[in-house]
Amino acid sequence: MSLANGRPYLAIPGPSTMPDRVLRAMHQGAPNIYDGPLVEMVESLWPDLRAVAGTTQNVAMYIANGHGVWEAANANLFSRGDRALVLATGRFGLSWADSVRARGVTVDVLDFGKSSPVDLDRVEQALRADVTHSIKAVLTTHVDTASSVRTDVAALRACLDAVGHPALLAVDCIASLGCDEFRMDDWGVDVMVAASQKGLMVPPGIGFVWFSEKARAACRGNDLNTPYWDWTPRADASEFWHYWNGTAPTHHLFGLRESLTMLLHEEGLPQVWRRHDVLARAVWAAFDVWSQGNPQIGLNVADPVHRGRSVTAARFGAPHATRLRDWTEHRAGVTLGIGLGMAAADDPAYHGFLRVAHMGHVNAHMTLGALAVMEAGLVALDIPHDPGGIVAAAGVVAQAERD
Ligand SMILES: *Cc1c(COP(=O)(O)O)cnc(C)c1O
């Protein structure tokens, strides 16, 4: 007997669960890329891609995953010998920094550790110390998928403005776009990168770089750019193939059309953000109960203000997180995320961490189901915890309906 038989739920923070509608939209023969339905449909994507990012400015698309759009942003942002300031709040800022450094750009990293938000005082000090304004761009992660720390991007913009530093502000929203509130223009963001396989609910394979007019002007002629990565022809295409500097990602585009319709024209972005907020708070409520009197259990980010709404990083104490993940996957059909960047895979402490994704095409029954399965696993495996997390999570969902 296995209670895992039935529809499995992949609750890892990317790739996320995809709507059947998105998959069905992709299920068709190869389309003509010179004219016809695909070419006509693609024109409808651009206004929606701007809307999902909260911008009226520019967007370029790439056939790439998240690492690929980092490269795209780097190629456009920098010239040889430029400097970048990277704000790291977990794992992903450090990886973006590595990719910038590999381009020959000088990178200063402010590392805020694995559980803490950006400390704006340290950012201010670093900017003030740069009296010659040699820092070309400040790079940050909106929600770090490893730590689940969320950055207050508007406050960061205010910090740059208060110092009067002209650096461009570039934000990685790969884990958060379409889940967590983000307003590119209102928050003064110059460059934003995202990819298809998380909040946008499309398979991995397309990535996006949104850029402001200010960034366009500041980056014109940068000598690290190449024709393939250049965002200008992609954003201002005069021929269809310019959008991708080659063949279009045909089937992903059909999927993307469907997901943007769902997010923007059916549910509505504010409602999408609210859904993720409620589901995130349901997860946190369960942990608040399980951890009572059990300090080995806990959420990675202490203050809810600094927590992302698409993924929650947590600890159960080694080896319980790995035991629980194995149990939920093999005994109950729910796959939870591994702990990422908290301890090396060959360190016994690694087995103390996991992540619960609540990203993209998720609803109350999926998140409550995942939490109930986790609580069943805690009991089945004799992992010390306070019972009743699932009751608290259900209470959050019920309360949200009343608010
Ligand atoms: C997933 C993710 C990435 C990397 O994306 P890939 O598609 O795996 O290359 C980068 N940054 C953040 C914040 C992410 O969540």
Side-chain angles (χ1 to χ4, degrees):
M1 193 278 292
S2 171
L3 297 172
N5 291 327
R7 179 176 276 235
Y9 172 27
L10 184 70
I12 68 173
S16 66
T17 298
M18 289 173 286
D20 291 345
R21 281 173 61 183
V22 167
L23 297 173
R24 276 199 300 275
M26 299 177 72
H27 191 99
Q28 51 179 297
N32 190 352
I33 55 167
Y34 297 98
D35 59 41
L38 175 74
V39 174
E40 286 157 28
M41 179 280 284
V42 161
E43 289 314 303
S44 75
L45 292 175
W46 306 107
D48 285 356
L49 284 171
R50 290 190 182 87
V52 81
T55 184
T56 58
Q57 303 184 76
N58 310 289
V59 55
M61 213 190 294
Y62 296 84
I63 297 183
N65 61 15
H67 286 71
V69 287
W70 283 340
E71 297 277 344
N74 300 344
N76 283 280
L77 274 167
F78 301 111
S79 282
R80 284 178 185 79
D82 273 349
R83 261 177 86 202
L85 177 64
V86 174
L87 313 180
T89 51
R91 178 64 240 154
F92 288 86
L94 298 173
S95 299
W96 195 0
D98 288 343
S99 80
V100 177
R101 204 177 287 114
R103 282 273 178 170
V105 170
T106 303
V107 180
D108 304 334
V109 176
L110 290 179
D111 190 345
F112 302 98
K114 296 181 198 311
S115 308
S116 302
V118 167
D119 175 350
L120 290 174
D121 290 337
R122 283 178 62 195
V123 178
E124 183 178 334
Q125 276 172 27
L127 292 172
R128 287 202 192 283
D130 180 30
V131 285
T132 60
H133 291 171
S134 65
I135 296 170
K136 179 79 183 287
V138 175
L139 275 45
T140 192
T141 316
H142 186 212
V143 172
D144 186 288
T145 327
S147 66
S148 63
V149 170
R150 184 173 69 170
T151 297
D152 184 342
V153 175
L156 181 57
R157 172 82 264 168
C159 174
L160 276 144
D161 290 348
V163 174
H165 198 292
L168 297 169
L169 177 57
V171 184
D172 172 350
C173 290
I174 297 169
S176 54
L177 193 74
C179 305
D180 232 300
E181 180 174 358
F182 182 81
R183 301 177 185 275
M184 176 166 164
D185 289 356
D186 291 351
W187 295 354
V189 172
D190 294 298
V191 173
M192 190 272 278
V193 298
S196 53
Q197 77 274 22
K198 299 190 183 178
L200 296 181
M201 314 184 296
V202 174
I206 38 180
F208 313 89
V209 180
W210 288 259
F211 57 100
S212 66
E213 285 301 317
K214 180 177 150 199
R216 185 201 281 269
C219 298
R220 198 169 280 129
N222 278 354
D223 69 9
L224 280 176
N225 219 341
T226 60
Y228 183 79
W229 293 114
D230 192 356
W231 58 28
T232 314
R234 291 172 184 259
D236 305 341
S238 54
E239 290 187 57
F240 189 70
W241 67 271
H242 291 168
Y243 287 133
W244 301 278
N245 202 265
T247 308
T250 50
H251 289 69
H252 282 73
L253 296 171
F254 290 122
L256 181 63
R257 176 62 276 159
E258 198 66 19
S259 79
L260 291 172
T261 297
M262 293 171 74
L263 293 173
L264 297 170
H265 304 298
E266 294 178 5
E267 186 172 3
L269 209 43
Q271 290 72 27
V272 171
W273 295 335
R274 169 111 174 93
R275 172 166 53 85
H276 283 87
D277 179 60
V278 171
L279 297 179
R281 287 188 293 106
V283 173
W284 308 341
F287 275 92
D288 286 346
V289 172
W290 294 335
S291 62
Q292 276 166 30
N294 301 287
Q296 79 283 6
I297 301 181
L299 295 172
N300 186 46
V301 183
D303 185 344
V305 169
H306 302 304
R307 293 180 194 153
R309 266 51 175 181
S310 53
V311 56
T312 295
R315 61 191 148 72
F316 282 93
H320 298 315
T322 297
R323 291 175 68 222
L324 184 61
R325 273 196 306 104
D326 286 345
W327 192 91
T328 63
E329 179 166 9
H330 300 297
R331 310 311 307 162
V334 175
T335 303
L336 300 168
I338 58 167
L340 193 63
M342 296 296 161
D346 57 1
D347 178 344
Y350 173 85
H351 300 288
F353 302 96
L354 58 67
R355 291 171 301 158
V356 185
H358 27 91
M359 170 186 284
H361 193 55
V362 283
N363 58 20
H365 87 71
M366 295 163 79
T367 296
L368 291 178
L371 293 169
V373 157
M374 290 173 74
E375 187 149 346
L378 292 171
V379 175
L381 298 170
D382 290 319
I383 297 173
H385 67 286
D386 241 46
I390 189 62
V391 177
V396 169
V397 168
Q399 182 59 39
E401 287 292 286
R402 272 182 240 125
D403 289 346

